[in-house]
Amino acid sequence: AQTVTQSQPEMSVQEAETVTLSCTYDTSESDYYLFWYKQPPSRQMILVIRQEAYKQQNATENRFSVNFQKAAKSFSLKISDSQLGDAAMYFCAYRSTLISSGSARQLTFGSGTQLTVLP
Amino acid sequence: GAGVSQSPSNKVTEKGKDVELRCDPISGHTALYWYRQSLGQGLEFLIYFQGNSAPDKSGLPSDRFSAERTGGSVSTLTIQRTQQEDSAVYLCASSYPGHYEQYFGPGTRLTVT
């Protein structure tokens, strides 16, 4: 079974600064998807960014980018020019692509990192 | 377009009562997932529906939990004889055929007193 680890329960960043959230995962599969979701106090889980394991190029979405290190099984999220609206719980998630896998379809989540943005 | 909707937003129930939680996925999304988010256990997968196929119930924690999906659209998660440990936020997500991203609803916060 796959596991996802977020070792930083809490992080803080000054507005306009850059912050990096860490995520590591364990899998024996070679093809999979990784995601970062954001959950503000409203509870709505919002997809921030995704990365396909077969792609070497790191995904970027505006101020959000990832550092995907497949060999190290690491998938960190960098938020540039942090804004007050970025304050939320951030979850890293893994999804297999193998239909035969018992956990192929659902997301496996890390425990989350609570990000505080300081004005 | 409209996102995933869930109702009720909050539900308080007495121990031993049955509850029903509803999820309305994004139109055209054939896959539907239920997750539970609790303080002690984080985010856990409960059940998965894909079109008219038999659901994957491998995440349901006990036989008190069941779910159905009518007409390939709306889904209802039922918890019978609720216990205090069932208190959690229940999240529903859906995805488009052939796509891996899941889009979540706002969740239902269930409190069992």
Side-chain angles (χ1 to χ4, degrees), chain B residues 15-104:
Chain B
K15 178 181 172 182
K17 301 277 186 164
D18 298 352
V19 295
E20 286 189 350
L21 312 180
R22 175 189 168 107
C23 172
D24 202 340
I26 294 171
S27 177
H29 283 200
T30 57
L32 186 148
Y33 309 78
W34 283 97
Y35 294 87
R36 180 170 68 175
Q37 185 175 22
S38 55
L39 281 176
Q41 301 297 323
L43 275 152
E44 305 170 277
F45 164 74
L46 296 178
I47 189 169
Y48 159 76
F49 295 90
Q50 173 59 59
N52 296 319
S53 301
D56 176 355
K57 304 179 182 180
S58 60
L60 295 179
S62 78
D63 58 8
R64 297 186 296 103
F65 288 72
S66 63
E68 63 177 18
R69 189 178 184 191
T70 54
S73 181
V74 173
S75 176
T76 302
L77 177 68
T78 301
I79 309 173
Q80 295 179 310
R81 304 181 303 281
T82 52
Q83 304 294 312
Q84 287 188 330
E85 60 262 28
D86 299 334
S87 295
V89 174
Y90 290 82
L91 294 165
C92 176
S94 68
S95 63
Y96 196 72
H99 289 226
Y100 293 105
E101 299 94 341
Q102 295 180 21
Y103 295 89
F104 284 80

Side-chain angles (χ1 to χ4, degrees), chain A residues 11-99:
Chain A
M11 292 280 286
S12 63
V13 62
Q14 208 72 36
E15 195 175 4
E17 296 293 310
T18 296
V19 65
T20 298
L21 308 184
S22 301
C23 172
T24 59
Y25 57 94
D26 188 24
T27 184
S28 59
E29 299 171 345
S30 60
D31 196 18
Y32 44 87
Y33 284 82
L34 296 166
F35 303 90
W36 278 98
Y37 280 89
K38 166 186 176 181
Q39 187 180 41
S42 66
R43 294 198 310 249
Q44 181 87 48
M45 293 279 277
I46 302 165
L47 178 64
V48 175
I49 199 165
R50 78 168 200 179
Q51 174 79 43
E52 294 92 333
Y54 65 85
K55 288 187 177 179
Q56 293 185 338
Q57 187 172 3
N58 289 324
T60 63
E61 286 287 342
N62 300 313
R63 297 182 295 107
F64 299 87
S65 62
V66 298
N67 183 4
F68 174 50
Q69 301 289 327
K70 190 172 183 179
K73 297 179 182 175
S74 171
F75 182 61
S76 60
L77 174 70
K78 185 172 83 171
I79 306 174
S80 303
D81 186 25
S82 296
Q83 301 176 0
L84 294 176
D86 296 333
M89 180 74 88
Y90 285 81
F91 291 95
C92 178
Y94 174 103
R95 190 198 191 278
S96 172
T97 59
L98 294 177
I99 300 302

